[in-house]
Amino acid sequence: MLYYRIPMQIIVARNYESLSQKAADFVVSAILLKPSLVLALPTGSTPLGMYKFLVELYNRKKVDFSQVKVFDLDEYCGLTPEHSQSYAFYLRHNFLSQVNLKKENIHLQDGLLDVSQASQYSKQFEETIEEVGGIDLAILGIGRNGHIGFNEPGSKVDSLTRVIDLDDKTIQDNSRFFENISEVPRKAVTMGIGTILNSQKILLLAAGKNKAEVINSSMEGPVTVRVPASILQRHPAVTIILDQDAASQLKRKE
Ligand code: F6R
């Protein structure tokens, strides 16, 4: 049920390049304000351009990651960190290994966690976040079914880090990264909706026509667990950067 709607800052970029640049600038500004910023990081196609610009800005000495701390939002269960489709591999390859983040400040989800011990794992992951003072900025992509992290439809508002069964739509969408759909893991470990909502600020990125419908329902539709991203309407500090295609079904463009 919708109790109240907090205005979200929605930025519509000219194209994907501009979206990526704006996202990178947003992150760099946050680091300039707080050099020991704690970030939650997404993977997938959408943030690739942002990571490219962040690495570029680092190489041009515009940003220093030496005090920044990072957590990844999610990981497939059953993939080693060396597997080319693991999110640990993606983040190392596209970002972590290319900037001056300290090893001790990188906290990646463990895809090889023992699922029978998941609650212990989750407790520890949440405690690590608390120990560094909480997440300052959670950067998110969005699935076509409205998932944020891997919080699939039905995820509870107060859910924390946990193992989740991936939705059929997610398995279908993510099969593009694997040789065969049967290779896509069926389970993942993800920060919860509650973990994400506890962040001081949230930056959500979406690009392409295939995200237009879910962007409309998440931002302008009712808050419902059926569309997990819709809960962001209740967070006080959300910025959304879209390209024109992803924004094409929004009525209200700020
Ligand atoms: C990945 C993640 C997911 C993706 C979402 C969109 O770490 O958290 O929520 O952000 O599935 O993926 P792309 O960007 O590939 O469309």
Side-chain angles (χ1 to χ4, degrees), residues 41-47 73-75 87 139-145 147-151 170 173-174 176-177 190 205 207 210-211:
L41 298 177
T43 62
S45 306
T46 315
L73 284 168
D74 45 16
E75 180 60 282
Y87 288 173
I139 309 170
L140 309 174
I142 181 170
R144 280 194 309 134
N145 61 2
H147 73 210
I148 45 177
F150 269 142
N151 291 285
T170 303
D173 282 355
N174 290 8
R176 70 188 192 279
F177 298 113
T190 182
L205 312 176
N210 66 345
K211 297 288 171 70

Side-chain angles (χ1 to χ4, degrees), residues 64-199:
D64 173 18
F65 292 94
S66 62
Q67 295 180 59
V68 172
K69 299 175 183 69
V70 299
F71 290 81
D72 62 350
L73 284 168
D74 45 16
E75 180 60 282
Y76 290 119
C77 285
L79 300 192
T80 66
E82 290 74 38
H83 189 289
S84 62
Q85 293 313 324
S86 76
Y87 288 173
F89 182 92
Y90 167 112
L91 282 173
R92 275 203 320 275
H93 180 76
N94 292 303
F95 180 52
L96 305 176
S97 65
Q98 305 200 47
V99 297
N100 65 335
L101 268 154
K102 292 206 179 103
K103 217 171 162 191
E104 64 266 29
N105 290 338
I106 298 174
H107 305 278
L108 299 184
Q109 302 267 16
D110 180 7
L112 297 180
L113 83 161
D114 178 352
V115 174
S116 70
Q117 305 288 312
S119 59
Q120 182 56 24
Y121 168 89
S122 307
K123 196 166 158 267
Q124 258 167 26
F125 198 81
E126 293 286 335
E127 277 171 9
T128 314
I129 294 175
E130 268 173 43
E131 276 160 21
V132 299
I135 295 167
D136 293 304
L137 175 63
I139 309 170
L140 309 174
I142 181 170
R144 280 194 309 134
N145 61 2
H147 73 210
I148 45 177
F150 269 142
N151 291 285
E152 301 289 27
S155 293
K156 295 207 177 96
V157 169
D158 57 358
S159 54
L160 299 175
T161 300
R162 69 204 185 289
V163 171
I164 191 160
D165 290 319
L166 293 176
D167 200 62
D168 287 344
K169 210 168 184 174
T170 303
I171 294 168
Q172 182 69 47
D173 282 355
N174 290 8
S175 65
R176 70 188 192 279
F177 298 113
F178 293 80
E179 276 191 13
N180 191 302
I181 192 163
S182 66
E183 288 176 17
V184 185
R186 270 30 186 184
K187 284 187 188 295
V189 57
T190 182
M191 279 185 193
I193 301 275
T195 323
I196 292 170
L197 290 180
N198 280 338
S199 310

